[in-house]
Amino acid sequence: MRLIAVIALGAAVAGCSTIDPAPKLKAANDAIAAAKAAGAESIPAANDLLTQANKYLGTAQNLIKDGDVSNAIRNLNLASRATPRSPPPRPPRRPGPIS
């Protein structure tokens, strides 16, 4: 009975340890595509970030092929974060007092 419990626990742990990188891969690709669509390639600082994001994405894709999913996800997170973002919108101006 104990042997069955140990085998079941081992299977559960092994099943939980696999992580699907597909959502992170899609998010990184979407972030890079959005940056390109916003014209990041024509702004030097943004283009540098975009280049770095593409490097992280390429590294992640190679790691996925090699079966190193945890490091691939780390690189996918870095790729998503390295994409240039537009600044948040400013709040509307309040009119001053009327004199």
Side-chain angles (χ1 to χ4, degrees):
M1 184 67 169
R2 287 184 184 173
L3 180 59
I4 294 172
V6 170
I7 292 172
L9 179 62
V13 170
C16 293
S17 67
T18 58
I19 302 168
D20 182 15
K24 298 280 186 183
L25 184 60
K26 181 177 180 343
N29 277 315
D30 290 348
I32 290 170
K36 286 180 180 179
E41 294 171 309
S42 63
I43 302 167
N47 190 37
D48 291 344
L49 288 172
L50 192 56
T51 300
Q52 188 62 47
N54 279 313
K55 287 179 184 177
Y56 285 131
L57 180 61
T59 300
Q61 289 170 331
N62 289 332
L63 288 167
I64 290 169
K65 287 178 190 173
D66 294 341
D68 190 355
V69 177
S70 61
N71 281 322
I73 288 176
R74 185 174 307 130
N75 276 274
L76 290 170
N77 288 333
L78 290 169
S80 293
R81 290 183 193 140
T83 55
R85 308 228 190 285
S86 57
R90 293 185 184 179
R93 270 184 85 164
R94 294 186 180 174
I98 301 176
S99 28

